[in-house]
Amino acid sequence: MAPLTISCFSWAGEAAVFDWTANAVTARQPLAALWHGLPAGFEAGVDTAVDLGTGKLYVFRGPDYARIPTDTGHMDEGYPRPIAGMWPGLAFDTLDAAMNWGDGKVYFFRGPRYCRYDIAADRQDPGYPKDIAAGWRGVDPAWSADGVDAAVNTGTGRAYLFQGEEYVALDWHTKSQLPGYPLRIADQWPGLPGRVEAAWSHAPTVPAGSRGTVTAADFHRRYRPFAEAGETQLGVPVLVTLAQAALESDWGRSAPGNNFFGVKAKATDPEETRQLLRTREVLRRPDAVFPEVISVTPRPDGRYGYVVRDWFRTYSSPQESFTHHARFLRDNPRYRAAFDHTGDPYAFAREVAAAGYATDPRYADVLTARMRQIEASR
């Protein structure tokens, strides 16, 4: 994805499109004309909005938020909803600003503090909230004491925070304020008023060369001992366990609550053992029930692709997750045929897939490809 070419700013019920190439506002219209079906009050002004990269814009006002598809501009049915309870772990019930950092994280600002939210895990990261001045080096604590009004990440390695009539520029790589700031908005942003209330953009990409990678060899080296225990005690081949863990957790980058295998929970399970996460499903029917259905899309094969929020297990450690996974396969009669192939991990994997471990019809191919990748890294 290329760096942003436009961003949107709003104030007093108006929305403006700022063209980064022209360095000017190129269009203005009322929020009520930009978005349709808005709840009462939203058309008069919003606190912030953020694009998570799913084709939906999340718009916040007071304690509520609305979800608006970017292709239609019509608010989804069932909204607005309260922020509290719908964004797991989020410390704030109202927001001042939000910014997609482009690396799978969103930053939410409220008063002098901010939180970091994991998009894939659909949960606030541990250790937050933090003071803005403490987390973004060089930002004057006095400048951010009343919070920020808006935030924009351009996808070029530079981001901006707006407060009152001023703004500061941030370096993406160091999360620090650039020298020479703050500056006045009216002097540097042609077409914008002296202050803005909210800003949003399409989800930006990660600036080139800024994100570290986790190799198959790294993953194998770190998690093999847990997989070996499952093979020794319960007969689940090491290569199958590692491949399933790598596939479900994106090589360990996304294992919320130490859940490396995407193990589901029930809504009736104890609260401390479950978490509500965003996930994707492929089903044969278009009307399946989940705690929240974000979207349902028909597929060429006649099935339906779902983006939903559903309940998942939490674990005290990666080791507990690996142990539970091996026990789940061993004790579930559905996977009994797989244990006729404990000496052949690829045959074992095909049997697990055939028994319906995942809803993706291509799961066997995807899993065995991941197995070959791990095997080649040793």
Side-chain angles (χ1 to χ4, degrees), residues 168-226:
V168 299
L170 304 171
D171 181 273
W172 193 98
H173 302 274
T174 62
K175 285 184 65 178
S176 60
Q177 181 177 310
L178 293 170
Y181 292 87
L183 296 174
R184 285 172 48 84
I185 298 170
D187 294 339
Q188 304 294 326
W189 296 76
L192 292 185
R195 62 185 305 161
V196 296
E197 296 173 355
W200 62 93
S201 312
H202 291 304
T205 187
V206 176
S210 59
R211 182 175 180 177
T213 58
V214 179
T215 67
D218 294 333
F219 188 85
H220 178 269
R221 182 169 51 253
R222 182 170 185 179
Y223 296 108
R224 181 180 177 89
F226 304 143

Side-chain angles (χ1 to χ4, degrees), residues 157-332:
R158 181 170 291 196
Y160 298 95
L161 300 180
F162 299 79
Q163 201 282 324
E165 297 182 349
E166 297 179 330
Y167 75 101
V168 299
L170 304 171
D171 181 273
W172 193 98
H173 302 274
T174 62
K175 285 184 65 178
S176 60
Q177 181 177 310
L178 293 170
Y181 292 87
L183 296 174
R184 285 172 48 84
I185 298 170
D187 294 339
Q188 304 294 326
W189 296 76
L192 292 185
R195 62 185 305 161
V196 296
E197 296 173 355
W200 62 93
S201 312
H202 291 304
T205 187
V206 176
S210 59
R211 182 175 180 177
T213 58
V214 179
T215 67
D218 294 333
F219 188 85
H220 178 269
R221 182 169 51 253
R222 182 170 185 179
Y223 296 108
R224 181 180 177 89
F226 304 143
E228 285 179 335
E231 182 176 78
T232 301
Q233 299 169 15
L234 299 165
V236 181
V238 167
L239 192 57
V240 174
T241 300
L242 288 175
Q244 286 191 301
L247 187 61
E248 295 290 344
S249 71
D250 187 23
W251 299 104
R253 284 189 287 254
S254 179
N258 290 310
N259 190 335
F260 280 77
F261 299 92
V263 176
K264 296 286 187 71
K266 299 177 181 178
T268 55
D269 288 343
E271 185 175 354
E272 64 272 14
T273 67
R274 59 184 171 90
Q275 55 188 331
L276 194 62
L277 303 179
R278 185 186 300 268
T279 187
R280 296 180 181 272
E281 304 283 355
V282 179
L283 302 174
R284 296 183 182 275
R285 50 184 289 191
D287 57 351
V289 176
F290 293 90
E292 181 185 0
V293 176
I294 297 171
S295 65
V296 182
T297 306
R299 291 163 45 103
D301 60 5
R303 302 189 186 198
Y304 297 86
Y306 283 73
V307 179
V308 302
R309 280 178 174 151
D310 203 359
W311 291 109
F312 286 80
R313 278 289 308 270
T314 63
Y315 300 95
S316 61
S317 65
Q319 182 175 2
E320 184 185 10
S321 177
F322 276 71
T323 300
H324 181 265
H325 170 261
R327 176 60 65 188
F328 168 77
L329 292 179
R330 182 83 240 190
D331 292 347
N332 195 323

Side-chain angles (χ1 to χ4, degrees), residues 231 235-241 243 338 341-352 367-368 371 375 378:
E231 182 176 78
V236 181
V238 167
L239 192 57
V240 174
T241 300
H341 306 281
T342 54
D344 183 347
Y346 287 92
F348 189 102
R350 287 192 293 271
E351 291 289 350
V352 167
L367 179 60
T368 54
M371 291 167 64
E375 202 168 30
R378 293 188 293 185

